[in-house]
Amino acid sequence: MGDFLELIALIWFLVCWLGYTYYSRRRAADRPCLSNTLDMYREDWMRVMLRRENRIADASVVGNLERNGAFFASSCLLILAGIITALGYTQEVMEVFGTLPFGTLPSREIWELRMVVLLVVFIYAFFKFTWSMRMYNFVAVMIGSAPPPDDTRTSPAAREAFARSAGNVCNLAGDAFNLGLRSYYYALAVVGGFIHPIVFVAASTLVVIVLYRREFCSDALGALRSGKVFEDPAPGKPESPGKSSN
């Protein structure tokens, strides 16, 4: 019965993780959320950047965003090293855990499965953070190659295409960072599984609720949506679903 409960908890965790990722992407297509709102800000940022002579501030912002990814990627490596070390001392760790009042000690195989799940979560996060870093590096290169505001050889249509392209790369970087950050939330749910499978199920559900409220119902979203009047879409370019300004 215990092993069956562990399996159900793991399946529910995967449903929460993969299901919410799919749901949030689909939902963002027809409803304002943090993701599509920040997409508009980033694209508008690239348009404003093209009108500036001095772009040191823009390069500095991109550098700060890249360093955020580097911090979390480094943290993932440290956590992965700790998990791998703990896997090498499974028996000792289980004995220590067995002395705690709130934990139920499973079989060695179940314990190692929990550790492997935690390992996979942080490996996924590491790849997302490093990919985000690389794409912010691409954005920095694009800013360096952006045409100056007084360049008469670059047409308005070419400037708009450049702004959309640079904004899209920046959006992809932000999305990758967001997915990596979500992994930390899901890792906390996995930690709940070390207490009891029911706690694992409850923690996985709670993580989805917290992520949904912050993405679609938070005060930060309201402030972002009301804090800026976005430029109208370029002539001939239909506005993306879910990205209309309030």
Side-chain angles (χ1 to χ4, degrees):
M1 181 62 182
D3 290 352
F4 178 74
L5 198 57
E6 290 281 353
L7 179 60
I8 293 298
L10 178 58
I11 291 174
W12 179 246
F13 169 74
L14 294 175
V15 168
C16 288
W17 188 2
L18 302 177
Y20 180 73
T21 300
Y22 175 79
Y23 170 83
S24 61
R25 285 177 178 172
R26 291 294 300 270
R27 190 65 169 160
D30 56 18
R31 177 175 175 176
C33 65
L34 288 177
S35 178
N36 57 33
T37 300
L38 286 171
D39 285 352
M40 290 192 294
Y41 268 90
R42 295 185 190 104
E43 190 169 316
D44 196 53
W45 169 26
M46 292 298 113
R47 292 193 184 97
V48 173
M49 179 272 297
L50 287 175
R51 296 197 293 265
R52 275 197 282 262
E53 277 286 350
N54 191 330
R55 290 155 183 176
I56 295 176
D58 303 291
S60 177
V61 171
V62 173
N64 287 335
L65 293 171
E66 188 177 353
R67 281 192 289 274
N68 287 339
F71 170 77
F72 281 103
S74 300
S75 300
C76 285
L77 286 178
L78 294 174
I79 294 169
L80 289 171
I83 295 172
I84 293 171
T85 302
L87 278 170
Y89 293 90
T90 300
Q91 191 59 45
E92 291 84 350
V93 174
M94 290 180 66
E95 289 174 1
V96 172
F97 189 84
T99 63
L100 300 177
F102 56 80
T104 57
L105 201 59
S107 65
R108 183 186 179 97
E109 291 75 16
I110 293 297
W111 181 274
E112 290 179 341
L113 177 62
R114 293 171 178 175
M115 297 295 291
V116 169
V117 171
L118 199 58
L119 191 72
V120 169
V121 171
F122 281 106
I123 289 174
Y124 173 84
F126 174 77
F127 276 103
K128 286 299 179 182
F129 285 129
T130 52
W131 184 229
S132 175
M133 289 167 54
R134 283 201 66 188
M135 284 191 286
Y136 278 128
N137 186 266
F138 300 159
V139 175
V141 172
M142 295 185 79
I143 289 176
S145 68
D150 57 353
D151 183 5
T152 56
R153 294 175 299 177
T154 306
S155 66
R159 289 178 180 276
E160 177 62 23
F162 183 93
R164 289 201 304 268
S165 179
N168 189 39
V169 175
C170 198
N171 291 337
L172 292 172
D175 290 343
F177 182 85
N178 188 36
L179 289 173
L181 202 57
R182 283 182 190 173
S183 300
Y184 274 72
Y185 287 79
Y186 291 114
L188 292 176
V190 177
V191 170
F194 286 89
I195 300 174
H196 194 276
I198 297 299
V199 177
F200 192 10
V201 170
S204 301
T205 306
L206 181 61
V207 164
V208 170
I209 293 172
V210 170
L211 290 175
Y212 175 82
R213 288 183 59 82
R214 291 187 176 180
E215 183 74 16
F216 294 96
C217 308
S218 64
D219 292 338
L221 174 61
L224 285 168
R225 299 293 297 188
S226 63
K228 187 176 180 66
V229 177
F230 295 96
E231 293 181 352
D232 294 332
K237 179 197 173 190
E239 192 169 5
S240 300
K243 295 192 177 183
S244 60
S245 58
N246 286 343

